[in-house]
Amino acid sequence: MTTSPVRRKRGTGIGNVQLVTTVPKTDKQLVVDLAEQLGLSQSEAMEVILKHLRTELAHDGIPVWFDRNQLPEALPIAKAS
């Protein structure tokens, strides 16, 4: 017997937009497992992850845990004459 997938409560996704991305299978499985453990749909689990990420942003909008040495250097902008 298979269980039906968890669905979000009616009306709680109004105004949401679809996010399409590709990730390694292990990352997808992480979201599937987390959703199952929390009793949420996979989209709700992603919302939880993104809301948590939002709490870890520095003043410039970059996550505090991100290695800033990986950021690309700013390109020089030519001065207007």
Side-chain angles (χ1 to χ4, degrees):
M1 182 173 139
T2 61
T3 59
S4 60
V6 176
R7 296 180 56 103
R8 65 170 59 240
K9 290 183 174 108
R10 183 176 289 271
T12 60
I14 293 174
N16 285 3
V17 296
Q18 187 175 23
L19 172 65
V20 179
T21 185
T22 56
V23 295
K25 286 183 181 182
T26 54
D27 293 343
K28 164 69 175 177
Q29 193 59 50
L30 175 65
V31 173
V32 171
D33 294 343
L34 178 64
E36 185 176 309
Q37 291 172 356
L38 297 176
L40 301 172
S41 69
Q42 291 176 29
S43 64
E44 288 174 305
M46 280 304 304
E47 286 178 38
V48 169
I49 292 168
L50 292 172
K51 283 178 184 175
H52 179 73
L53 173 63
R54 220 178 273 134
T55 67
E56 297 183 349
L57 298 179
H59 67 281
D60 57 1
I62 296 172
V64 295
W65 45 261
F66 188 80
D67 180 5
R68 291 176 176 271
N69 292 326
Q70 294 182 29
L71 293 173
E73 291 185 32
L75 297 173
I77 299 174
K79 292 182 180 178
S81 298

Coordinates of all heavy atoms in Angstrom, one line a residue:
M1 N 0.8 -1.2 0.0 CA 0.0 0.0 0.0 C 0.9 1.2 0.0 O 1.8 1.4 0.8 CB -0.9 0.0 1.3 CG -1.8 1.1 1.4 SD -2.9 0.9 2.8 CE -3.0 2.5 3.4
T2 N 0.6 2.2 -0.9 CA 1.4 3.4 -0.9 C 0.6 4.5 -0.3 O -0.7 4.5 -0.3 CB 1.7 3.8 -2.4 OG1 0.4 4.0 -3.1 CG2 2.5 2.8 -3.1
T3 N 1.3 5.4 0.3 CA 0.6 6.6 0.9 C 0.6 7.7 -0.1 O 1.4 7.8 -0.9 CB 1.4 7.0 2.2 OG1 2.7 7.4 1.8 CG2 1.4 5.9 3.3
S4 N -0.5 8.5 0.0 CA -0.6 9.6 -0.9 C 0.3 10.7 -0.4 O 0.6 10.9 0.7 CB -2.1 10.1 -0.9 OG -2.5 10.5 0.4
P5 N 0.8 11.5 -1.4 CA 1.8 12.6 -1.0 C 1.1 13.6 -0.2 O -0.2 13.8 -0.3 CB 2.2 13.2 -2.4 CG 1.2 12.7 -3.3 CD 0.6 11.4 -2.8
V6 N 1.8 14.3 0.7 CA 1.3 15.3 1.5 C 1.0 16.5 0.6 O 1.8 16.9 -0.2 CB 2.3 15.7 2.6 CG1 1.8 16.9 3.4 CG2 2.6 14.5 3.5
R7 N -0.1 17.1 0.8 CA -0.5 18.3 0.1 C -0.6 19.5 1.1 O -1.0 19.3 2.2 CB -1.8 18.1 -0.7 CG -1.7 17.1 -1.8 CD -3.0 16.9 -2.5 NE -3.4 18.2 -3.1 CZ -3.3 18.5 -4.3 NH1 -2.8 17.6 -5.2 NH2 -3.8 19.6 -4.8
R8 N -0.4 20.7 0.6 CA -0.5 21.8 1.5 C -2.0 22.1 1.7 O -2.8 21.7 0.9 CB 0.2 23.1 0.9 CG -0.4 23.6 -0.4 CD 0.2 25.0 -0.8 NE 1.6 25.0 -0.9 CZ 2.4 25.8 -0.2 NH1 1.9 26.6 0.7 NH2 3.7 25.9 -0.4
K9 N -2.4 22.8 2.7 CA -3.7 23.1 3.0 C -4.3 24.1 1.9 O -3.6 24.9 1.4 CB -3.9 23.8 4.4 CG -3.6 22.8 5.5 CD -3.8 23.5 6.9 CE -3.7 22.5 7.9 NZ -2.5 22.6 8.7
R10 N -5.5 23.9 1.6 CA -6.2 24.6 0.5 C -6.0 26.1 0.8 O -6.3 26.6 1.9 CB -7.6 24.3 0.4 CG -8.4 25.0 -0.7 CD -9.8 24.5 -0.8 NE -9.9 23.2 -1.4 CZ -9.9 22.8 -2.6 NH1 -9.9 23.8 -3.5 NH2 -10.0 21.6 -3.0
G11 N -5.6 26.9 -0.2 CA -5.5 28.3 -0.1 C -4.2 28.8 0.4 O -3.9 30.0 0.4
T12 N -3.3 28.0 0.9 CA -2.0 28.5 1.5 C -1.0 28.7 0.5 O 0.1 29.3 0.8 CB -1.5 27.5 2.6 OG1 -1.2 26.2 1.9 CG2 -2.4 27.3 3.7
G13 N -1.2 28.4 -0.8 CA -0.2 28.6 -1.8 C -0.6 29.7 -2.8 O 0.0 30.0 -3.8
I14 N -1.7 30.4 -2.4 CA -2.2 31.5 -3.3 C -1.1 32.6 -3.4 O -0.6 33.0 -2.4 CB -3.5 32.1 -2.8 CG1 -4.6 31.0 -2.9 CG2 -3.9 33.3 -3.6 CD1 -5.9 31.4 -2.3
G15 N -0.8 33.0 -4.6 CA 0.2 34.0 -4.9 C 1.6 33.5 -5.0 O 2.5 34.2 -5.4
N16 N 1.8 32.2 -4.7 CA 3.1 31.6 -4.9 C 3.5 31.4 -6.4 O 2.6 31.3 -7.2 CB 3.2 30.2 -4.2 CG 3.3 30.3 -2.7 OD1 3.2 31.4 -2.1 ND2 3.4 29.1 -2.1
V17 N 4.7 31.4 -6.7 CA 5.2 31.2 -8.1 C 6.0 29.9 -8.1 O 6.6 29.5 -7.0 CB 6.0 32.4 -8.6 CG1 5.1 33.6 -8.7 CG2 7.2 32.7 -7.7
Q18 N 6.2 29.4 -9.2 CA 6.9 28.1 -9.4 C 8.4 28.4 -9.5 O 8.8 29.4 -10.2 CB 6.5 27.3 -10.6 CG 7.1 26.0 -10.7 CD 6.5 25.2 -11.9 OE1 6.0 25.8 -12.8 NE2 6.6 23.9 -11.8
L19 N 9.3 27.7 -8.8 CA 10.7 27.8 -8.9 C 11.2 26.5 -9.5 O 11.0 25.4 -8.9 CB 11.3 27.9 -7.5 CG 12.8 27.9 -7.4 CD1 13.5 29.0 -8.1 CD2 13.2 27.9 -5.9
V20 N 11.8 26.6 -10.7 CA 12.3 25.4 -11.4 C 13.8 25.4 -11.4 O 14.4 26.4 -11.8 CB 11.8 25.3 -12.8 CG1 12.3 24.1 -13.6 CG2 10.3 25.4 -12.9
T21 N 14.4 24.4 -10.9 CA 15.9 24.3 -10.8 C 16.3 22.8 -10.9 O 15.5 21.9 -10.6 CB 16.4 25.0 -9.5 OG1 17.8 25.0 -9.5 CG2 15.9 24.3 -8.3
T22 N 17.6 22.6 -11.2 CA 18.1 21.3 -11.1 C 19.1 21.2 -10.0 O 19.9 22.1 -9.8 CB 18.8 20.9 -12.5 OG1 19.8 21.8 -12.8 CG2 17.7 20.8 -13.6
V23 N 19.1 20.1 -9.3 CA 20.0 19.9 -8.2 C 20.5 18.4 -8.2 O 19.8 17.6 -8.9 CB 19.4 20.2 -6.8 CG1 19.0 21.6 -6.7 CG2 18.1 19.3 -6.6
P24 N 21.6 18.1 -7.6 CA 22.0 16.7 -7.4 C 20.9 15.9 -6.8 O 20.1 16.4 -5.9 CB 23.3 16.7 -6.6 CG 23.8 18.1 -6.8 CD 22.5 19.0 -6.9
K25 N 20.8 14.6 -7.1 CA 19.8 13.7 -6.5 C 19.8 13.7 -5.0 O 18.8 13.6 -4.4 CB 20.0 12.3 -7.0 CG 19.6 12.1 -8.5 CD 19.8 10.6 -8.9 CE 19.3 10.4 -10.3 NZ 19.4 9.0 -10.7
T26 N 21.0 13.8 -4.4 CA 21.1 13.8 -3.0 C 20.4 15.0 -2.3 O 19.8 14.9 -1.3 CB 22.6 13.7 -2.5 OG1 23.3 14.7 -3.1 CG2 23.2 12.3 -2.9
D27 N 20.5 16.1 -3.0 CA 19.9 17.4 -2.5 C 18.4 17.3 -2.6 O 17.6 17.7 -1.8 CB 20.4 18.6 -3.3 CG 21.9 18.9 -2.9 OD1 22.4 18.3 -1.9 OD2 22.5 19.6 -3.7
K28 N 17.9 16.7 -3.8 CA 16.5 16.5 -3.9 C 16.0 15.6 -2.8 O 14.9 15.8 -2.2 CB 16.2 15.9 -5.3 CG 14.8 15.3 -5.5 CD 13.7 16.3 -5.5 CE 12.4 15.6 -5.9 NZ 11.3 16.4 -5.9
Q29 N 16.7 14.5 -2.6 CA 16.3 13.5 -1.5 C 16.3 14.2 -0.2 O 15.4 13.9 0.7 CB 17.2 12.3 -1.5 CG 16.7 11.2 -0.7 CD 15.3 10.7 -1.2 OE1 15.1 10.4 -2.4 NE2 14.3 10.6 -0.3
L30 N 17.2 15.1 0.1 CA 17.2 15.9 1.3 C 15.8 16.6 1.5 O 15.2 16.6 2.6 CB 18.3 16.9 1.4 CG 18.4 17.8 2.6 CD1 18.6 17.0 3.9 CD2 19.5 18.8 2.4
V31 N 15.4 17.3 0.5 CA 14.1 18.0 0.5 C 12.9 17.0 0.7 O 12.0 17.2 1.5 CB 13.9 18.8 -0.7 CG1 12.5 19.5 -0.7 CG2 14.9 19.9 -0.8
V32 N 13.0 15.9 0.0 CA 11.9 14.9 0.1 C 11.9 14.3 1.6 O 10.8 14.3 2.2 CB 12.2 13.7 -0.9 CG1 11.2 12.5 -0.6 CG2 12.0 14.2 -2.3
D33 N 13.0 14.0 2.1 CA 13.1 13.5 3.5 C 12.7 14.5 4.5 O 11.9 14.2 5.4 CB 14.5 13.0 3.8 CG 15.0 11.8 3.0 OD1 14.1 11.1 2.4 OD2 16.2 11.5 2.9
L34 N 13.1 15.7 4.4 CA 12.7 16.8 5.3 C 11.2 17.0 5.3 O 10.6 17.1 6.3 CB 13.5 18.1 4.9 CG 13.1 19.3 5.8 CD1 13.5 19.1 7.3 CD2 13.8 20.5 5.3
A35 N 10.7 17.1 4.1 CA 9.2 17.3 3.9 C 8.5 16.1 4.6 O 7.5 16.4 5.4 CB 8.8 17.3 2.5
E36 N 8.9 14.9 4.4 CA 8.3 13.8 5.1 C 8.4 13.8 6.6 O 7.4 13.6 7.3 CB 8.9 12.5 4.6 CG 8.2 11.2 5.0 CD 8.8 10.0 4.4 OE1 8.9 9.9 3.2 OE2 9.2 9.0 5.2
Q37 N 9.5 14.2 7.1 CA 9.7 14.2 8.5 C 8.9 15.4 9.2 O 8.5 15.2 10.3 CB 11.2 14.4 8.9 CG 12.1 13.2 8.6 CD 13.5 13.5 8.7 OE1 14.0 14.6 9.0 NE2 14.4 12.5 8.5
L38 N 8.7 16.4 8.4 CA 7.9 17.6 9.0 C 6.5 17.5 8.7 O 5.7 18.3 9.2 CB 8.5 18.9 8.4 CG 9.9 19.3 8.7 CD1 10.3 20.5 8.0 CD2 10.1 19.4 10.2
G39 N 6.1 16.5 7.9 CA 4.7 16.4 7.5 C 4.2 17.5 6.6 O 3.0 17.9 6.6
L40 N 5.1 17.9 5.7 CA 4.8 19.0 4.8 C 4.9 18.5 3.4 O 5.5 17.5 3.1 CB 5.8 20.2 5.0 CG 5.9 20.8 6.4 CD1 7.0 21.8 6.4 CD2 4.6 21.5 6.7
S41 N 4.4 19.3 2.5 CA 4.6 19.0 1.1 C 6.1 19.4 0.8 O 6.7 20.2 1.5 CB 3.6 19.8 0.2 OG 3.9 21.2 0.2
Q42 N 6.6 19.0 -0.4 CA 7.9 19.4 -0.7 C 8.1 20.9 -1.0 O 9.1 21.5 -0.6 CB 8.4 18.6 -2.0 CG 8.6 17.1 -1.7 CD 8.9 16.3 -2.9 OE1 9.5 16.8 -3.8 NE2 8.5 15.1 -2.9
S43 N 7.0 21.5 -1.5 CA 7.1 22.9 -1.7 C 7.1 23.7 -0.4 O 7.8 24.7 -0.2 CB 6.0 23.4 -2.6 OG 4.7 23.2 -2.0
E44 N 6.3 23.2 0.6 CA 6.3 23.8 1.9 C 7.7 23.7 2.6 O 8.2 24.6 3.3 CB 5.2 23.2 2.8 CG 3.8 23.7 2.3 CD 2.7 23.0 3.1 OE1 2.7 21.7 3.2 OE2 1.9 23.7 3.8
A45 N 8.3 22.5 2.4 CA 9.6 22.3 3.0 C 10.6 23.2 2.4 O 11.5 23.8 3.1 CB 10.1 20.8 2.7
M46 N 10.5 23.5 1.1 CA 11.5 24.5 0.5 C 11.2 25.9 1.0 O 12.1 26.6 1.2 CB 11.3 24.5 -1.1 CG 12.0 23.3 -1.7 SD 13.8 23.3 -1.3 CE 14.4 24.9 -1.8
E47 N 9.9 26.2 1.3 CA 9.6 27.5 1.8 C 10.2 27.6 3.2 O 10.8 28.7 3.6 CB 8.1 27.7 2.0 CG 7.4 27.9 0.7 CD 5.9 28.0 0.8 OE1 5.4 28.6 1.8 OE2 5.2 27.6 -0.1
V48 N 10.2 26.6 4.0 CA 10.8 26.6 5.3 C 12.3 26.8 5.2 O 12.9 27.6 6.0 CB 10.6 25.3 6.1 CG1 11.4 25.1 7.3 CG2 9.1 25.1 6.4
I49 N 13.0 26.1 4.3 CA 14.4 26.3 4.1 C 14.7 27.7 3.7 O 15.7 28.3 4.2 CB 14.9 25.3 3.0 CG1 14.8 23.8 3.5 CG2 16.3 25.6 2.6 CD1 15.0 22.8 2.5
L50 N 14.0 28.3 2.7 CA 14.2 29.6 2.2 C 14.0 30.7 3.3 O 14.7 31.6 3.4 CB 13.4 29.9 1.0 CG 13.9 29.1 -0.2 CD1 12.9 29.3 -1.4 CD2 15.3 29.4 -0.7
K51 N 12.9 30.5 4.1 CA 12.6 31.4 5.2 C 13.8 31.4 6.2 O 14.2 32.4 6.8 CB 11.3 31.1 5.9 CG 10.1 31.5 5.1 CD 8.8 31.1 5.7 CE 7.6 31.5 4.8 NZ 6.4 31.1 5.4
H52 N 14.3 30.2 6.5 CA 15.4 30.1 7.4 C 16.7 30.8 6.8 O 17.4 31.5 7.6 CB 15.8 28.6 7.7 CG 16.9 28.5 8.6 ND1 16.8 28.7 10.0 CD2 18.2 28.1 8.4 CE1 18.0 28.5 10.6 NE2 18.8 28.1 9.6
L53 N 16.9 30.6 5.6 CA 18.0 31.3 4.9 C 17.9 32.8 5.0 O 18.9 33.5 5.3 CB 18.1 30.9 3.4 CG 19.1 31.6 2.6 CD1 20.6 31.3 3.1 CD2 19.0 31.2 1.1
R54 N 16.7 33.3 4.9 CA 16.5 34.7 5.0 C 16.9 35.3 6.3 O 17.4 36.4 6.4 CB 15.0 35.0 4.8 CG 14.8 36.2 3.9 CD 13.3 36.5 3.7 NE 12.9 35.8 2.5 CZ 11.8 35.0 2.4 NH1 11.0 34.9 3.5 NH2 11.4 34.4 1.3
T55 N 16.9 34.5 7.4 CA 17.3 34.9 8.7 C 18.8 35.0 8.9 O 19.3 35.5 9.9 CB 16.7 34.0 9.8 OG1 17.3 32.7 9.8 CG2 15.2 33.9 9.7
E56 N 19.5 34.4 7.9 CA 21.0 34.3 8.0 C 21.7 35.2 7.0 O 22.8 35.0 6.7 CB 21.4 32.9 7.8 CG 20.9 31.9 8.9 CD 21.4 30.5 8.7 OE1 22.0 30.2 7.6 OE2 21.3 29.7 9.6
L57 N 21.0 36.3 6.6 CA 21.6 37.2 5.6 C 22.3 38.4 6.4 O 21.7 38.9 7.3 CB 20.5 37.8 4.7 CG 19.8 36.7 3.8 CD1 18.8 37.4 2.9 CD2 20.8 35.9 3.0
A58 N 23.5 38.7 5.9 CA 24.2 39.9 6.4 C 23.5 41.1 5.9 O 22.6 41.1 5.1 CB 25.6 39.8 6.0
H59 N 24.0 42.3 6.3 CA 23.4 43.6 5.9 C 23.4 43.8 4.4 O 22.6 44.5 3.9 CB 24.2 44.7 6.6 CG 25.6 44.9 6.1 ND1 26.6 44.1 6.6 CD2 26.1 45.7 5.2 CE1 27.7 44.4 6.0 NE2 27.5 45.4 5.2
D60 N 24.3 43.1 3.7 CA 24.4 43.3 2.2 C 23.7 42.2 1.5 O 23.7 42.1 0.3 CB 25.9 43.3 1.8 CG 26.7 42.0 2.2 OD1 26.1 41.1 2.9 OD2 27.9 42.0 1.9
G61 N 22.9 41.3 2.2 CA 22.1 40.3 1.6 C 22.8 39.0 1.2 O 22.2 38.1 0.6
I62 N 24.0 38.9 1.7 CA 24.8 37.6 1.4 C 24.7 36.8 2.7 O 24.9 37.3 3.8 CB 26.2 38.0 1.1 CG1 26.3 38.7 -0.3 CG2 27.1 36.7 1.0 CD1 27.6 39.3 -0.6
P63 N 24.5 35.5 2.6 CA 24.4 34.7 3.8 C 25.7 34.8 4.6 O 26.8 34.8 4.1 CB 24.2 33.2 3.3 CG 23.6 33.4 1.9 CD 24.2 34.7 1.4
V64 N 25.6 34.8 5.9 CA 26.7 35.0 6.8 C 27.7 33.9 6.7 O 28.9 34.0 7.0 CB 26.3 35.2 8.3 CG1 25.5 36.5 8.4 CG2 25.4 34.1 8.8
W65 N 27.2 32.7 6.3 CA 28.1 31.5 6.2 C 28.8 31.4 4.9 O 29.6 30.5 4.7 CB 27.3 30.3 6.5 CG 26.0 30.2 5.8 CD1 24.8 30.5 6.3 CD2 25.7 29.8 4.5 NE1 23.8 30.4 5.4 CE2 24.3 29.9 4.2 CE3 26.5 29.4 3.4 CZ2 23.8 29.7 3.0 CZ3 26.0 29.1 2.2 CH2 24.6 29.2 2.0
F66 N 28.5 32.2 3.9 CA 29.0 32.1 2.6 C 30.5 32.6 2.6 O 30.8 33.7 3.2 CB 28.2 32.9 1.6 CG 28.6 32.7 0.1 CD1 28.2 31.6 -0.5 CD2 29.5 33.6 -0.5 CE1 28.6 31.4 -1.8 CE2 29.9 33.4 -1.8 CZ 29.4 32.3 -2.5
D67 N 31.4 31.9 1.9 CA 32.8 32.3 1.8 C 32.9 33.5 0.9 O 32.7 33.3 -0.4 CB 33.6 31.1 1.3 CG 35.1 31.5 1.2 OD1 35.5 32.6 1.6 OD2 35.8 30.6 0.7
R68 N 33.1 34.6 1.4 CA 33.1 35.9 0.6 C 34.3 35.9 -0.4 O 34.3 36.7 -1.4 CB 33.2 37.1 1.5 CG 31.8 37.3 2.2 CD 31.9 38.4 3.2 NE 30.6 38.6 3.7 CZ 29.6 39.4 3.2 NH1 29.8 40.0 2.1 NH2 28.4 39.5 3.8
N69 N 35.3 35.0 -0.2 CA 36.4 34.9 -1.1 C 35.9 34.3 -2.5 O 36.6 34.4 -3.5 CB 37.5 34.1 -0.6 CG 38.2 34.8 0.6 OD1 38.3 36.0 0.6 ND2 38.6 34.0 1.6
Q70 N 34.8 33.7 -2.5 CA 34.2 33.1 -3.7 C 33.4 34.2 -4.5 O 33.1 33.9 -5.7 CB 33.3 32.0 -3.4 CG 34.0 30.8 -2.8 CD 33.0 29.7 -2.5 OE1 32.0 29.5 -3.2 NE2 33.3 28.9 -1.5
L71 N 33.2 35.3 -4.0 CA 32.5 36.4 -4.7 C 33.3 36.9 -5.9 O 34.5 37.1 -5.7 CB 32.1 37.5 -3.8 CG 31.1 37.2 -2.7 CD1 30.9 38.4 -1.8 CD2 29.7 36.8 -3.3
P72 N 32.7 37.1 -7.0 CA 33.4 37.7 -8.1 C 33.8 39.2 -7.8 O 33.0 39.9 -7.1 CB 32.5 37.7 -9.3 CG 31.1 37.6 -8.7 CD 31.3 36.9 -7.4
E73 N 34.9 39.6 -8.2 CA 35.4 41.0 -8.0 C 34.5 41.9 -8.9 O 34.1 41.5 -10.0 CB 36.8 41.2 -8.3 CG 37.7 40.4 -7.3 CD 39.2 40.7 -7.6 OE1 39.5 41.8 -8.0 OE2 40.0 39.8 -7.4
A74 N 34.3 43.1 -8.4 CA 33.5 44.1 -9.2 C 34.3 44.5 -10.4 O 35.6 44.6 -10.3 CB 33.2 45.3 -8.3
L75 N 33.6 44.6 -11.5 CA 34.3 45.0 -12.7 C 34.5 46.5 -12.6 O 33.7 47.3 -12.2 CB 33.4 44.7 -13.9 CG 33.2 43.2 -14.2 CD1 32.2 43.0 -15.3 CD2 34.5 42.5 -14.5
P76 N 35.7 47.0 -13.1 CA 35.9 48.5 -13.1 C 34.9 49.2 -14.1 O 34.7 48.7 -15.2 CB 37.3 48.6 -13.6 CG 37.6 47.4 -14.3 CD 36.8 46.3 -13.7
I77 N 34.3 50.2 -13.6 CA 33.4 51.0 -14.4 C 34.1 52.2 -15.0 O 34.7 53.0 -14.2 CB 32.2 51.4 -13.6 CG1 31.5 50.1 -13.1 CG2 31.2 52.3 -14.4 CD1 30.3 50.4 -12.2
A78 N 34.1 52.4 -16.3 CA 34.8 53.6 -16.8 C 34.1 54.9 -16.4 O 32.9 54.9 -16.3 CB 34.7 53.5 -18.4
K79 N 34.9 55.9 -16.1 CA 34.4 57.2 -15.7 C 33.8 57.9 -16.9 O 34.3 57.8 -18.0 CB 35.4 58.0 -15.0 CG 35.9 57.5 -13.7 CD 37.0 58.4 -13.2 CE 37.5 57.9 -11.8 NZ 38.5 58.8 -11.3
A80 N 32.7 58.6 -16.6 CA 32.1 59.4 -17.7 C 33.0 60.6 -17.9 O 33.4 61.2 -17.0 CB 30.7 59.8 -17.3
S81 N 33.2 60.9 -19.2 CA 34.0 62.1 -19.5 C 33.2 63.3 -19.6 O 32.2 63.4 -20.1 CB 34.8 61.9 -20.8 OG 35.6 60.7 -20.7

